[in-house]
C-alpha cells in the first residue's frame, strides 16, 4: 500500500513538473559532458604544467562549465541578471585567470623537467 501511494505521488510529481525536470536533466548532462572533457584535458596536462598551474586551469574550466550550465537551469537572478552560482563561477574564472597570469610572470606555466636519477645515469 505504501509503495502504491509513493508510485502515484512520483507519477503526479513528474507530470506536474515535467518542464523543470527536463531542464534539470539537460543541465546535468551538459555539466557531465563538460566536466568529463575537462577532466581528460587536465589529466593529459598533468605532467606538462606545474601543479599549481593545473589547479588554476581547473578553476578556469570549472568556473566556465558552471557559468554556462546556469543558463539552462531555472534559478532566480540575483545581480545583473546573473544567478548566485554564476557569480561564484565568475569569481572562480577570475581567480583562475589571475593565477595563470601570475604564474606566467613568475616561473612560467610549464613543469620543469625532472632531474635524472642515479639509476638512469648509471645505465647511460
Amino acid at each position: 500500500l505504501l509503495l502504491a501511494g509513493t508510485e502515484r505521488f512520483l507519477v503526479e510529481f513528474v507530470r506536474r513538473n515535467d518542464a523543470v525536470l527536463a531542464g534539470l536533466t539537460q543541465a546535468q548532462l551538459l555539466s557531465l559532458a563538460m566536466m568529463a572533457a575537462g577532466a581528460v584535458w587536465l589529466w593529459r596536462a598533468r605532467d606538462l604544467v606545474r601543479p599549481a598551474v593545473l589547479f588554476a586551469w581547473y578553476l578556469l574550466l570549472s568556473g566556465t562549465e558552471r557559468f554556462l550550465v546556469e543558463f539552462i537551469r531555472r534559478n532566480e537572478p540575483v545581480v545583473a541578471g546573473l544567478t548566485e552560482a554564476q557569480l561564484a563561477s565568475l569569481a572562480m574564472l577570475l581567480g583562475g585567470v589571475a593565477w595563470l597570469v601570475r604564474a606566467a610572470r613568475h616561473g612560467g606555466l610549464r613543469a620543469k623537467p625532472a632531474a635524472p636519477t642515479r639509476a638512469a645515469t648509471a645505465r647511460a
Side-chain angles (χ1 to χ4, degrees), residues 81-96:
L82 300 175
T83 66
E84 286 183 45
Q86 285 175 319
L87 295 173
S89 300
L90 286 176
M92 289 174 65
L93 278 163
L94 292 175

Side-chain angles (χ1 to χ4, degrees), residues 3-16 21:
L3 290 176
T6 304
E7 182 180 339
R8 280 195 303 269
F9 168 78
L10 290 174
V11 169
E12 185 63 22
F13 179 82
V14 169
R15 187 185 67 76
R16 290 184 182 191
L21 294 174

Side-chain angles (χ1 to χ4, degrees), residues 36-119:
V40 168
W41 186 82
L42 289 170
W43 184 260
R44 289 185 176 180
R46 74 187 185 279
D47 294 329
L48 302 176
V49 297
R50 296 178 8 215
V53 171
L54 196 64
F55 181 69
W57 276 110
Y58 165 77
L59 287 176
L60 193 68
L61 293 171
S62 182
T64 302
E65 176 269 331
R66 186 64 183 182
F67 186 80
L68 295 175
V69 165
E70 281 299 309
F71 284 111
I72 296 174
R73 298 191 67 196
R74 291 174 176 83
N75 290 333
E76 292 297 318
V78 178
V79 176
L82 300 175
T83 66
E84 286 183 45
Q86 285 175 319
L87 295 173
S89 300
L90 286 176
M92 289 174 65
L93 278 163
L94 292 175
V97 168
W99 200 324
L100 288 172
V101 168
R102 186 177 189 299
R105 290 182 181 166
H106 299 93
L109 302 177
R110 297 244 178 232
K112 300 197 180 346
T117 61
R118 288 186 186 181

